[in-house]
Amino acid sequence: TTDAPTTTKEAVTTVKSTTIAHKTTTEMQSTTPTMMKYTFTAEKDTTLFEIDDGERGSGSGPYLFAGMIGQGKLRRALMYFNFSSLKGMQIKKATLVLHCLRTGKSEKPDMFELHRVQANWGEGASVAFNGIGEEPETDDATWDSRYYNRDPPVLWKNKGGDFTTKVSASQSLFATGRYEWTSNELAKDVQHMTDNPSSNYGWLLRGGEETLRSAKLFHSRESDEIEFIPMVVVYADKVVADPCETACYSHGTRTAYDMDM
């Protein structure tokens, strides 16, 4: 199921004033950006399980899996966030936050990458508590299918998910704990997803795909521990009318506002 988007925001700028020489009204048609912090939680997420025969899913499970398990099979996580409330804003920074609560027995850190997904996918009712997965339910995303049990079948063009080759952000993982993925490319992704909501299919997380037992287990959006569910923190500028246009003229001078970043 899909819950209503969870978004919080707060101002993160302070304002200071300086005095500049008066210019004509036409020349002073300026704008003042206001930086805001927004926090989004995942609206859907799931794991793609590579297996020898059949398909597995965990659309409503409390965990996400990524990496390679001991049997040499891969796991990839899918996550979708709704950024429609940012329409018309300029994205300055984006950070995806996950909480890892279990790791495989790999003896070295592995790089885990985010890639923008290129096709829509489903989140069914299957629930898996381990890295093997469960029998998928209708509309589950699986290693083979974007929407399981559709007639006609709705498959990935490439098994294991359709995603960009460009890495949106990467992070080295080894131990349990909180991890963050952030980069200029990730901010560009959020801008693209905001400006083009019909092509926002979320991100795919993959990593350690050449390392046996590199698999990591993360809290999903269905986790009972709400503080650990997947989230994206976004810093964005909203362009507003310059208050000086109407309130700051005085005796041939005006006050210009800028931001302390």
Side-chain angles (χ1 to χ4, degrees), residues 177-222:
R178 172 190 169 108
Y179 286 92
E180 298 183 354
W181 285 258
T182 188
S183 70
N184 290 335
E185 194 62 38
L186 195 71
K188 292 178 182 178
D189 280 359
V190 175
Q191 188 73 68
H192 176 83
M193 294 169 174
T194 300
D195 297 339
N196 305 277
S198 63
S199 61
N200 173 14
Y201 308 123
W203 290 285
L204 179 144
L205 177 68
R206 65 194 290 253
E209 297 197 342
E210 297 181 357
T211 305
L212 200 64
R213 298 186 177 88
S214 64
K216 305 291 185 287
L217 183 151
F218 305 90
H219 289 276
S220 78
R221 78 182 190 95
E222 288 84 4

Side-chain angles (χ1 to χ4, degrees), residues 45-259:
D45 56 19
T46 193
T47 298
L48 306 182
F49 300 85
E50 182 187 33
I51 63 173
D52 288 325
D53 298 302
E55 299 182 67
R56 293 288 186 272
S58 185
S60 296
Y63 308 120
L64 299 172
F65 301 85
M68 181 183 287
I69 63 173
Q71 291 78 16
K73 299 300 181 181
L74 300 179
R75 305 293 182 253
R76 294 171 178 172
L78 294 173
M79 294 163 284
Y80 166 81
F81 302 83
N82 183 353
F83 300 116
S84 59
S85 61
L86 297 177
K87 188 69 175 179
M89 302 190 73
Q90 185 177 14
I91 310 304
K92 294 298 187 180
K93 181 180 180 180
T95 302
L96 185 142
V97 181
L98 296 177
H99 290 264
C100 177
L101 68 158
R102 190 179 305 167
T103 69
K105 297 181 180 179
S106 172
E107 297 181 352
K108 67 179 184 67
D110 285 287
M111 196 66 68
F112 280 72
E113 303 170 345
L114 290 173
H115 298 260
R116 189 157 54 85
V117 182
Q118 294 182 302
N120 211 352
W121 48 274
E123 182 191 61
S126 61
V127 177
F129 293 95
N130 55 50
I132 304 302
E134 291 292 336
E135 288 294 324
E137 301 283 350
T138 297
D139 284 346
D140 264 325
T142 71
W143 193 262
D144 297 338
S145 302
R146 295 195 287 122
Y147 294 92
Y148 179 75
N149 201 30
R150 289 281 186 93
D151 185 18
V154 181
L155 306 176
W156 298 106
K157 292 181 180 179
N158 303 285
K159 290 187 176 183
D162 301 329
F163 52 91
T164 60
T165 57
K166 179 179 289 188
V167 177
S168 297
S170 60
Q171 176 63 268
S172 178
L173 270 67
F174 184 62
T176 60
R178 172 190 169 108
Y179 286 92
E180 298 183 354
W181 285 258
T182 188
S183 70
N184 290 335
E185 194 62 38
L186 195 71
K188 292 178 182 178
D189 280 359
V190 175
Q191 188 73 68
H192 176 83
M193 294 169 174
T194 300
D195 297 339
N196 305 277
S198 63
S199 61
N200 173 14
Y201 308 123
W203 290 285
L204 179 144
L205 177 68
R206 65 194 290 253
E209 297 197 342
E210 297 181 357
T211 305
L212 200 64
R213 298 186 177 88
S214 64
K216 305 291 185 287
L217 183 151
F218 305 90
H219 289 276
S220 78
R221 78 182 190 95
E222 288 84 4
S223 174
D224 291 334
E225 300 182 68
I226 304 300
E227 67 274 23
F228 294 148
I229 65 177
M231 69 178 64
V232 174
V233 179
V234 176
Y235 290 86
D237 276 350
K238 183 175 183 179
V239 177
V240 298
D242 190 337
C244 292
E245 291 300 331
T246 57
C248 299
Y249 285 95
S250 176
H251 304 293
T253 63
R254 58 167 293 177
T255 303
Y257 288 82
D258 55 38
M259 293 190 302

